[in-house]
Amino acid sequence: MKLKHIADTLLDEASPPARLQEALNAFVKLCTEISGVVPDRSFDAWAGDSLLKDGVAISPEAAAHCVHDTQRSVVFVRAAFAAIKAAQKRFANGPIDILYAGCGPFATILLPLLGRFNPDELTVHLLDIHQRSLDSVALIVKHCGLQTHRISYLQDDACNYQHPSNPHVVIAETMQKSLEQEPQFAVTANLAPQLQARGIFIPQKVEVALCLAKLDDETAAFRRGDTLDPNALVEAGNRYPLATVLCLTPEDAQRLKQQASQTDNDFLELSPVNVTIPATAHLDDFDAVLFTRIQAFEQHRLLDYEAEITLPLRCNELMPLHTEDRYRISLQIGRYPKFSVTRIRDD
Ligand SMILES: C[S@@+](CC[C@H](N)C(=O)[O-])C[C@H]1O[C@@H](n2cnc3c(N)ncnc32)[C@H](O)[C@@H]1O
C-alpha cells in the first residue's frame, strides 16, 4: 500500500476499523522496511528509553509500536489534517509553520499527510530527543519522494526547546494514560506559549477524571465489544464521577506549572484537588479509577477505553474505599510523572 492510499484510508471517516488497522499495518511495514526500526513494546525496547528530567522519552522501537494503538493514531492524524486546514484559513498569507514534538521514528501524525499539501504550503520542524528517530524519518521522507517539502530535523528536549519563531501548529503526543510516565505536561507547558497567537496545539485538551467505577465489569463489557457510555453508567448508578483531577490545555499549562510547588523528593507538584468518598450503596463493589479523555482537535476525540492512552487506571491508593475519607490528588512532574494521592487526616 502506498503512502497516499494509507492517508486516504486513515482520513476517510467511512473506513471500517479493519481497513484502518490494515492501513496502519501497511504504514508500519513501509516505514520499517525503509528505516530498519522494528516496533517493539517489550522490556527489551525499554533499554532504549531516555530518562529525562520531566519524564520518560520512550525508545524509537517503543514509539514505533504506538502506531498500532489504532484509534489513537487515526484520531491524531485526522486532527492534524483538520488543524492544518484550519490554520490555512486563519493564516492565509504564507506557509503554515508546524512544530511536531516527539515525532518518533515514523512521524506518524504528520508524515501520511504531507503528500496532501504542496511543498510551499508548509514548513515542518520535526523534534525528538532520539537522533535515531530523526534519522529514520529522514530516510522515509526521502524514500517517499517528500524531500521537496521544507523539513528540518531537531534533536532536543521538547520540555526546554525554544523555537526561533512562533509556529502556527504544534503537535505533541508524548503521553500514556493518566499522563503517567511520559512528559506531555512539561512539553505542553514549554511549547504552547511559543505558538503564534490563534495558533493550534494538538491535543487541545487532556482531561483526567477520578471516578468510582466497577472496573472489572466495565473491562469485561469492553472486551465483549459492548458500548460503554459514561453518562449511561452514571445514570444507572454504576459510576460516580468524583472530580476532574487535571484539565491540561495549551492555554493553561504554563500557568499551572508556575503555580506548582517543589516537593521534598525534587518533583514539581501541581495544585492539588481534594476529594471526599461519597456515601454510596455497595461501596465495596467500586474501584477508584482515573479516566483520561483527549480532545486532539475539535471533534477528533478519544474517550474512555478508545485507545491505550485512554484506558482506565485503578487508583489503589484510595482502596479500600470508606465513605467520608478525604484525599488530596495532584500530578507530580519529574523523571516519572504520575498522580500522587495522600489521605487527609483530621488530626
Ligand atoms: C509516544 S511516542 C509518539 C511517537 C509519534 N509522535 C506517534 O504519535 O506515533 C513519544 C515520542 O516522543 C519523544 N519524546 C518524549 N519526550 C521527549 C522530549 N522531552 N523531547 C523530545 N522528544 C521526546 C520520544 O522519543 C518518542 O519518540
Side-chain angles (χ1 to χ4, degrees), residues 50 52 54-60 62-67 72-73 76 100-109 127-130 133 154-160 171-176 182-184 187 309:
S50 296
L52 306 177
D54 295 311
V56 179
I58 59 175
S59 72
H65 184 78
C66 295
V67 180
R72 176 211 78 106
S73 300
F76 271 88
Y100 181 2
C103 61
F106 302 160
T108 307
I109 298 171
L127 170 65
D128 205 284
I129 198 74
H130 294 120
S133 281
L154 309 159
Q155 191 273 318
D156 213 324
D157 183 343
C159 302
N160 308 313
I171 302 169
E173 196 284 80
T174 54
M175 78 181 107
Q176 303 280 345
E182 293 189 50
Q184 184 75 22
V187 170
I309 56 176

Side-chain angles (χ1 to χ4, degrees), residues 246-316:
L246 182 68
C247 182
L248 172 60
T249 62
E251 296 77 24
D252 287 341
Q254 190 185 37
R255 180 183 55 79
L256 291 174
K257 190 173 175 192
Q258 284 163 351
Q259 291 171 348
S261 51
Q262 201 75 39
T263 66
D264 296 343
N265 49 359
D266 220 19
F267 274 80
L268 204 54
E269 184 177 76
L270 301 195
S271 298
V273 170
N274 291 349
V275 295
T276 304
I277 305 301
T280 302
H282 308 294
L283 196 54
D284 288 350
D285 294 347
F286 288 88
D287 303 280
V289 183
L290 290 174
F291 287 95
T292 310
R293 288 126 196 187
I294 299 166
Q295 180 181 24
F297 181 63
E298 294 181 344
Q299 78 274 26
H300 303 286
R301 294 163 192 256
L302 290 167
L303 303 177
D304 305 354
Y305 295 93
E306 287 186 343
E308 282 185 29
I309 56 176
T310 63
L311 285 179
L313 182 70
R314 185 183 265 114
C315 219
N316 291 321

